[in-house]
mmCIF file of all heavy atoms in Angstrom:
data_model
loop_
_atom_site.group_PDB
_atom_site.id
_atom_site.type_symbol
_atom_site.label_atom_id
_atom_site.label_comp_id
_atom_site.label_asym_id
_atom_site.label_seq_id
_atom_site.Cartn_x
_atom_site.Cartn_y
_atom_site.Cartn_z
ATOM 1 N N TYR A 1 7.396 101.631 83.606
ATOM 2 C CA TYR A 1 8.602 100.934 84.011
ATOM 3 C C TYR A 1 8.993 101.424 85.398
ATOM 4 O O TYR A 1 9.112 102.609 85.642
ATOM 5 C CB TYR A 1 9.738 101.183 83.028
ATOM 6 C CG TYR A 1 9.529 100.487 81.708
ATOM 7 C CD1 TYR A 1 9.068 101.167 80.594
ATOM 8 C CD2 TYR A 1 9.783 99.131 81.600
ATOM 9 C CE1 TYR A 1 8.869 100.519 79.395
ATOM 10 C CE2 TYR A 1 9.586 98.468 80.393
ATOM 11 C CZ TYR A 1 9.127 99.173 79.298
ATOM 12 O OH TYR A 1 8.930 98.524 78.113
ATOM 13 N N THR A 2 9.149 100.475 86.323
ATOM 14 C CA THR A 2 9.567 100.805 87.677
ATOM 15 C C THR A 2 11.043 100.429 87.840
ATOM 16 O O THR A 2 11.646 99.850 86.932
ATOM 17 C CB THR A 2 8.721 100.051 88.727
ATOM 18 O OG1 THR A 2 8.951 98.654 88.587
ATOM 19 C CG2 THR A 2 7.242 100.360 88.565
ATOM 20 N N LYS A 3 11.583 100.754 88.988
ATOM 21 C CA LYS A 3 12.986 100.460 89.238
ATOM 22 C C LYS A 3 13.281 98.962 89.111
ATOM 23 O O LYS A 3 14.338 98.563 88.652
ATOM 24 C CB LYS A 3 13.377 100.960 90.622
ATOM 25 C CG LYS A 3 14.831 100.799 90.941
ATOM 26 C CD LYS A 3 15.183 101.425 92.272
ATOM 27 C CE LYS A 3 16.669 101.249 92.535
ATOM 28 N NZ LYS A 3 17.050 101.836 93.816
ATOM 29 N N PHE A 4 12.307 98.128 89.493
ATOM 30 C CA PHE A 4 12.524 96.682 89.479
ATOM 31 C C PHE A 4 11.892 95.995 88.255
ATOM 32 O O PHE A 4 11.794 94.776 88.222
ATOM 33 C CB PHE A 4 11.974 96.060 90.761
ATOM 34 C CG PHE A 4 12.604 96.613 92.006
ATOM 35 C CD1 PHE A 4 11.826 97.005 93.077
ATOM 36 C CD2 PHE A 4 13.979 96.755 92.109
ATOM 37 C CE1 PHE A 4 12.401 97.516 94.232
ATOM 38 C CE2 PHE A 4 14.567 97.256 93.251
ATOM 39 C CZ PHE A 4 13.780 97.642 94.323
ATOM 40 N N SER A 5 11.463 96.752 87.256
ATOM 41 C CA SER A 5 10.868 96.163 86.057
ATOM 42 C C SER A 5 11.914 95.427 85.225
ATOM 43 O O SER A 5 13.081 95.808 85.203
ATOM 44 C CB SER A 5 10.251 97.250 85.163
ATOM 45 O OG SER A 5 9.147 97.842 85.758
ATOM 46 N N GLN A 6 11.449 94.413 84.520
ATOM 47 C CA GLN A 6 12.298 93.732 83.559
ATOM 48 C C GLN A 6 12.185 94.492 82.247
ATOM 49 O O GLN A 6 11.215 94.352 81.516
ATOM 50 C CB GLN A 6 11.860 92.285 83.380
ATOM 51 C CG GLN A 6 12.018 91.457 84.613
ATOM 52 C CD GLN A 6 11.542 90.029 84.395
ATOM 53 O OE1 GLN A 6 11.150 89.659 83.302
ATOM 54 N NE2 GLN A 6 11.564 89.247 85.457
ATOM 55 N N ARG A 7 13.140 95.296 81.940
ATOM 56 C CA ARG A 7 13.059 96.183 80.773
ATOM 57 C C ARG A 7 13.300 95.460 79.447
ATOM 58 O O ARG A 7 13.173 96.041 78.395
ATOM 59 C CB ARG A 7 14.031 97.344 80.925
ATOM 60 C CG ARG A 7 13.596 98.267 82.049
ATOM 61 C CD ARG A 7 14.453 99.505 82.094
ATOM 62 N NE ARG A 7 14.048 100.332 83.203
ATOM 63 C CZ ARG A 7 13.257 101.372 83.088
ATOM 64 N NH1 ARG A 7 12.782 101.723 81.915
ATOM 65 N NH2 ARG A 7 12.940 102.087 84.140
ATOM 66 N N ASN A 8 13.633 94.186 79.499
ATOM 67 C CA ASN A 8 13.823 93.457 78.247
ATOM 68 C C ASN A 8 12.493 93.034 77.634
ATOM 69 O O ASN A 8 12.439 92.613 76.500
ATOM 70 C CB ASN A 8 14.714 92.228 78.460
ATOM 71 C CG ASN A 8 14.117 91.241 79.455
ATOM 72 O OD1 ASN A 8 13.244 91.604 80.250
ATOM 73 N ND2 ASN A 8 14.576 90.021 79.426
ATOM 74 N N PHE A 9 11.394 93.161 78.378
ATOM 75 C CA PHE A 9 10.062 92.820 77.872
ATOM 76 C C PHE A 9 9.451 94.052 77.217
ATOM 77 O O PHE A 9 9.323 95.098 77.839
ATOM 78 C CB PHE A 9 9.170 92.340 79.026
ATOM 79 C CG PHE A 9 7.775 91.985 78.579
ATOM 80 C CD1 PHE A 9 7.513 90.779 77.968
ATOM 81 C CD2 PHE A 9 6.737 92.886 78.751
ATOM 82 C CE1 PHE A 9 6.230 90.457 77.553
ATOM 83 C CE2 PHE A 9 5.459 92.572 78.331
ATOM 84 C CZ PHE A 9 5.211 91.360 77.728
ATOM 85 N N LYS A 10 9.101 93.961 75.955
ATOM 86 C CA LYS A 10 8.513 95.079 75.221
ATOM 87 C C LYS A 10 7.121 94.694 74.750
ATOM 88 O O LYS A 10 6.910 93.605 74.224
ATOM 89 C CB LYS A 10 9.365 95.455 74.009
ATOM 90 C CG LYS A 10 10.775 95.865 74.353
ATOM 91 C CD LYS A 10 10.812 97.134 75.165
ATOM 92 C CE LYS A 10 12.254 97.500 75.479
ATOM 93 N NZ LYS A 10 12.374 98.435 76.553
ATOM 94 N N LEU A 11 6.171 95.590 74.936
ATOM 95 C CA LEU A 11 4.808 95.350 74.484
ATOM 96 C C LEU A 11 4.702 95.496 72.975
ATOM 97 O O LEU A 11 5.294 96.398 72.394
ATOM 98 C CB LEU A 11 3.852 96.352 75.132
ATOM 99 C CG LEU A 11 3.502 96.136 76.584
ATOM 100 C CD1 LEU A 11 2.635 97.284 77.084
ATOM 101 C CD2 LEU A 11 2.774 94.829 76.769
ATOM 102 N N ASP A 12 3.921 94.641 72.372
ATOM 103 C CA ASP A 12 3.595 94.749 70.959
ATOM 104 C C ASP A 12 2.283 95.537 70.892
ATOM 105 O O ASP A 12 1.196 94.969 71.036
ATOM 106 C CB ASP A 12 3.449 93.353 70.359
ATOM 107 C CG ASP A 12 3.116 93.375 68.887
ATOM 108 O OD1 ASP A 12 2.801 94.449 68.335
ATOM 109 O OD2 ASP A 12 3.159 92.286 68.265
ATOM 110 N N LEU A 13 2.384 96.841 70.706
ATOM 111 C CA LEU A 13 1.202 97.699 70.758
ATOM 112 C C LEU A 13 0.214 97.418 69.626
ATOM 113 O O LEU A 13 -0.990 97.569 69.815
ATOM 114 C CB LEU A 13 1.612 99.164 70.772
ATOM 115 C CG LEU A 13 2.355 99.598 72.042
ATOM 116 C CD1 LEU A 13 2.764 101.052 71.953
ATOM 117 C CD2 LEU A 13 1.506 99.356 73.282
ATOM 118 N N LYS A 14 0.697 97.010 68.467
ATOM 119 C CA LYS A 14 -0.209 96.651 67.363
ATOM 120 C C LYS A 14 -1.042 95.425 67.739
ATOM 121 O O LYS A 14 -2.237 95.367 67.465
ATOM 122 C CB LYS A 14 0.571 96.392 66.075
ATOM 123 C CG LYS A 14 1.189 97.631 65.488
ATOM 124 C CD LYS A 14 0.100 98.555 64.983
ATOM 125 C CE LYS A 14 0.715 99.752 64.301
ATOM 126 N NZ LYS A 14 -0.269 100.802 64.069
ATOM 127 N N ARG A 15 -0.417 94.451 68.374
ATOM 128 C CA ARG A 15 -1.140 93.253 68.819
ATOM 129 C C ARG A 15 -2.158 93.638 69.891
ATOM 130 O O ARG A 15 -3.298 93.162 69.870
ATOM 131 C CB ARG A 15 -0.154 92.222 69.357
ATOM 132 C CG ARG A 15 -0.831 90.952 69.824
ATOM 133 C CD ARG A 15 0.201 89.886 70.201
ATOM 134 N NE ARG A 15 -0.461 88.666 70.589
ATOM 135 C CZ ARG A 15 -0.686 88.293 71.840
ATOM 136 N NH1 ARG A 15 -0.271 89.052 72.835
ATOM 137 N NH2 ARG A 15 -1.298 87.168 72.107
ATOM 138 N N CYS A 16 -1.756 94.494 70.817
ATOM 139 C CA CYS A 16 -2.685 94.946 71.864
ATOM 140 C C CYS A 16 -3.901 95.642 71.245
ATOM 141 O O CYS A 16 -5.030 95.425 71.685
ATOM 142 C CB CYS A 16 -1.980 95.893 72.823
ATOM 143 S SG CYS A 16 -0.762 95.107 73.883
ATOM 144 N N GLU A 17 -3.664 96.451 70.221
ATOM 145 C CA GLU A 17 -4.773 97.147 69.558
ATOM 146 C C GLU A 17 -5.721 96.155 68.886
ATOM 147 O O GLU A 17 -6.939 96.298 68.965
ATOM 148 C CB GLU A 17 -4.238 98.154 68.531
ATOM 149 C CG GLU A 17 -5.339 98.971 67.907
ATOM 150 C CD GLU A 17 -4.816 100.001 66.923
ATOM 151 O OE1 GLU A 17 -3.623 99.943 66.548
ATOM 152 O OE2 GLU A 17 -5.603 100.870 66.527
ATOM 153 N N ARG A 18 -5.170 95.119 68.241
ATOM 154 C CA ARG A 18 -6.021 94.100 67.623
ATOM 155 C C ARG A 18 -6.862 93.375 68.675
ATOM 156 O O ARG A 18 -8.044 93.110 68.462
ATOM 157 C CB ARG A 18 -5.170 93.090 66.846
ATOM 158 C CG ARG A 18 -4.570 93.636 65.569
ATOM 159 C CD ARG A 18 -3.965 92.549 64.698
ATOM 160 N NE ARG A 18 -3.024 91.680 65.376
ATOM 161 C CZ ARG A 18 -1.708 91.883 65.466
ATOM 162 N NH1 ARG A 18 -1.177 92.944 64.903
ATOM 163 N NH2 ARG A 18 -0.930 91.015 66.096
ATOM 164 N N ILE A 19 -6.268 93.089 69.816
ATOM 165 C CA ILE A 19 -7.004 92.435 70.902
ATOM 166 C C ILE A 19 -8.110 93.346 71.413
ATOM 167 O O ILE A 19 -9.240 92.896 71.661
ATOM 168 C CB ILE A 19 -6.034 92.030 72.035
ATOM 169 C CG1 ILE A 19 -5.118 90.906 71.557
ATOM 170 C CG2 ILE A 19 -6.800 91.618 73.290
ATOM 171 C CD1 ILE A 19 -3.950 90.620 72.481
ATOM 172 N N LEU A 20 -7.808 94.627 71.570
ATOM 173 C CA LEU A 20 -8.823 95.580 72.046
ATOM 174 C C LEU A 20 -9.982 95.706 71.053
ATOM 175 O O LEU A 20 -11.145 95.789 71.446
ATOM 176 C CB LEU A 20 -8.198 96.949 72.301
ATOM 177 C CG LEU A 20 -7.284 97.039 73.510
ATOM 178 C CD1 LEU A 20 -6.591 98.392 73.551
ATOM 179 C CD2 LEU A 20 -8.059 96.790 74.790
ATOM 180 N N ILE A 21 -9.673 95.723 69.777
ATOM 181 C CA ILE A 21 -10.725 95.803 68.753
ATOM 182 C C ILE A 21 -11.616 94.570 68.830
ATOM 183 O O ILE A 21 -12.845 94.679 68.828
ATOM 184 C CB ILE A 21 -10.103 95.970 67.349
ATOM 185 C CG1 ILE A 21 -9.487 97.370 67.214
ATOM 186 C CG2 ILE A 21 -11.141 95.725 66.259
ATOM 187 C CD1 ILE A 21 -8.619 97.549 65.984
ATOM 188 N N SER A 22 -11.014 93.396 68.925
ATOM 189 C CA SER A 22 -11.800 92.165 69.037
ATOM 190 C C SER A 22 -12.649 92.176 70.300
ATOM 191 O O SER A 22 -13.812 91.761 70.287
ATOM 192 C CB SER A 22 -10.881 90.939 69.045
ATOM 193 O OG SER A 22 -10.220 90.815 67.821
ATOM 194 N N SER A 23 -12.087 92.645 71.386
ATOM 195 C CA SER A 23 -12.817 92.724 72.644
ATOM 196 C C SER A 23 -14.036 93.636 72.516
ATOM 197 O O SER A 23 -15.132 93.304 72.976
ATOM 198 C CB SER A 23 -11.887 93.234 73.748
ATOM 199 O OG SER A 23 -12.595 93.448 74.939
ATOM 200 N N CYS A 24 -13.848 94.785 71.875
ATOM 201 C CA CYS A 24 -14.970 95.716 71.674
ATOM 202 C C CYS A 24 -16.055 95.086 70.799
ATOM 203 O O CYS A 24 -17.246 95.261 71.069
ATOM 204 C CB CYS A 24 -14.473 97.018 71.036
ATOM 205 S SG CYS A 24 -13.552 98.065 72.161
ATOM 206 N N GLU A 25 -15.651 94.378 69.773
ATOM 207 C CA GLU A 25 -16.625 93.725 68.899
ATOM 208 C C GLU A 25 -17.419 92.661 69.648
ATOM 209 O O GLU A 25 -18.615 92.499 69.437
ATOM 210 C CB GLU A 25 -15.909 93.096 67.704
ATOM 211 C CG GLU A 25 -15.370 94.116 66.730
ATOM 212 C CD GLU A 25 -14.503 93.510 65.643
ATOM 213 O OE1 GLU A 25 -14.145 92.311 65.740
ATOM 214 O OE2 GLU A 25 -14.155 94.240 64.700
ATOM 215 N N GLN A 26 -16.771 91.940 70.551
ATOM 216 C CA GLN A 26 -17.444 90.867 71.283
ATOM 217 C C GLN A 26 -18.412 91.389 72.338
ATOM 218 O O GLN A 26 -19.470 90.806 72.559
ATOM 219 C CB GLN A 26 -16.412 89.957 71.953
ATOM 220 C CG GLN A 26 -15.650 89.117 70.963
ATOM 221 C CD GLN A 26 -14.543 88.309 71.632
ATOM 222 O OE1 GLN A 26 -14.412 88.299 72.842
ATOM 223 N NE2 GLN A 26 -13.744 87.635 70.824
ATOM 224 N N CYS A 27 -18.060 92.492 72.998
ATOM 225 C CA CYS A 27 -18.899 92.953 74.105
ATOM 226 C C CYS A 27 -19.784 94.144 73.731
ATOM 227 O O CYS A 27 -20.608 94.578 74.535
ATOM 228 C CB CYS A 27 -18.047 93.298 75.330
ATOM 229 S SG CYS A 27 -17.077 94.808 75.143
ATOM 230 N N GLY A 28 -19.609 94.703 72.552
ATOM 231 C CA GLY A 28 -20.456 95.807 72.122
ATOM 232 C C GLY A 28 -19.982 97.177 72.577
ATOM 233 O O GLY A 28 -20.699 98.162 72.438
ATOM 234 N N ARG A 29 -18.781 97.265 73.106
ATOM 235 C CA ARG A 29 -18.243 98.564 73.514
ATOM 236 C C ARG A 29 -17.990 99.404 72.272
ATOM 237 O O ARG A 29 -17.565 98.896 71.243
ATOM 238 C CB ARG A 29 -16.943 98.377 74.301
ATOM 239 C CG ARG A 29 -16.375 99.695 74.823
ATOM 240 C CD ARG A 29 -15.064 99.530 75.556
ATOM 241 N NE ARG A 29 -15.219 98.655 76.699
ATOM 242 C CZ ARG A 29 -14.309 97.770 77.071
ATOM 243 N NH1 ARG A 29 -13.199 97.620 76.386
ATOM 244 N NH2 ARG A 29 -14.519 97.021 78.129
ATOM 245 N N THR A 30 -18.229 100.694 72.355
ATOM 246 C CA THR A 30 -18.093 101.553 71.188
ATOM 247 C C THR A 30 -16.789 102.331 71.149
ATOM 248 O O THR A 30 -16.558 103.088 70.211
ATOM 249 C CB THR A 30 -19.266 102.549 71.122
ATOM 250 O OG1 THR A 30 -19.285 103.311 72.329
ATOM 251 C CG2 THR A 30 -20.588 101.835 70.923
ATOM 252 N N TYR A 31 -15.949 102.190 72.145
ATOM 253 C CA TYR A 31 -14.669 102.891 72.134
ATOM 254 C C TYR A 31 -13.558 101.966 72.620
ATOM 255 O O TYR A 31 -13.786 101.075 73.420
ATOM 256 C CB TYR A 31 -14.719 104.147 73.013
ATOM 257 C CG TYR A 31 -15.003 103.852 74.465
ATOM 258 C CD1 TYR A 31 -13.970 103.662 75.382
ATOM 259 C CD2 TYR A 31 -16.311 103.758 74.939
ATOM 260 C CE1 TYR A 31 -14.228 103.373 76.701
ATOM 261 C CE2 TYR A 31 -16.583 103.469 76.267
ATOM 262 C CZ TYR A 31 -15.528 103.288 77.135
ATOM 263 O OH TYR A 31 -15.795 102.997 78.456
ATOM 264 N N LEU A 32 -12.360 102.198 72.106
ATOM 265 C CA LEU A 32 -11.207 101.387 72.503
ATOM 266 C C LEU A 32 -10.606 101.919 73.798
ATOM 267 O O LEU A 32 -10.510 103.121 73.990
ATOM 268 C CB LEU A 32 -10.116 101.440 71.432
ATOM 269 C CG LEU A 32 -10.358 100.694 70.136
ATOM 270 C CD1 LEU A 32 -9.169 100.891 69.203
ATOM 271 C CD2 LEU A 32 -10.586 99.231 70.381
ATOM 272 N N MET A 33 -10.195 101.002 74.654
ATOM 273 C CA MET A 33 -9.458 101.386 75.836
ATOM 274 C C MET A 33 -8.115 101.974 75.379
ATOM 275 O O MET A 33 -7.524 101.482 74.407
ATOM 276 C CB MET A 33 -9.227 100.153 76.714
ATOM 277 C CG MET A 33 -8.582 100.451 78.020
ATOM 278 S SD MET A 33 -8.381 99.057 79.161
ATOM 279 C CE MET A 33 -8.840 97.620 78.279
ATOM 280 N N GLN A 34 -7.662 103.020 76.032
ATOM 281 C CA GLN A 34 -6.403 103.658 75.666
ATOM 282 C C GLN A 34 -5.248 103.014 76.424
ATOM 283 O O GLN A 34 -5.364 102.690 77.598
ATOM 284 C CB GLN A 34 -6.448 105.152 76.001
ATOM 285 C CG GLN A 34 -7.536 105.908 75.258
ATOM 286 C CD GLN A 34 -7.323 105.868 73.757
ATOM 287 O OE1 GLN A 34 -6.253 106.203 73.279
ATOM 288 N NE2 GLN A 34 -8.338 105.446 73.032
ATOM 289 N N ILE A 35 -4.133 102.826 75.742
ATOM 290 C CA ILE A 35 -2.923 102.286 76.355
ATOM 291 C C ILE A 35 -1.870 103.382 76.346
ATOM 292 O O ILE A 35 -1.611 104.001 75.314
ATOM 293 C CB ILE A 35 -2.400 101.057 75.585
ATOM 294 C CG1 ILE A 35 -3.421 99.930 75.617
ATOM 295 C CG2 ILE A 35 -1.063 100.597 76.170
ATOM 296 C CD1 ILE A 35 -3.042 98.737 74.774
#
């Protein structure tokens, strides 16, 4: 979050994790990117 960030936007970390898992399955990566 920066001084000019819109702080009303919150990340759904569970959704991000599901997307990362799907991405790893599609490309063959063996580790999840860390957020």
Side-chain angles (χ1 to χ4, degrees):
Y1 289 101
T2 64
K3 184 175 181 180
F4 301 133
S5 293
Q6 295 179 3
R7 292 187 182 261
N8 61 340
F9 179 79
K10 300 295 180 198
L11 285 175
D12 180 350
L13 293 178
K14 291 292 184 193
R15 181 173 182 261
C16 290
E17 185 178 12
R18 288 191 308 270
I19 291 168
L20 289 173
I21 290 169
S22 295
S23 174
C24 287
E25 290 172 349
Q26 289 175 5
C27 72
R29 183 182 300 142
T30 58
Y31 61 93
L32 288 179
M33 185 176 8
Q34 299 298 307
I35 297 174

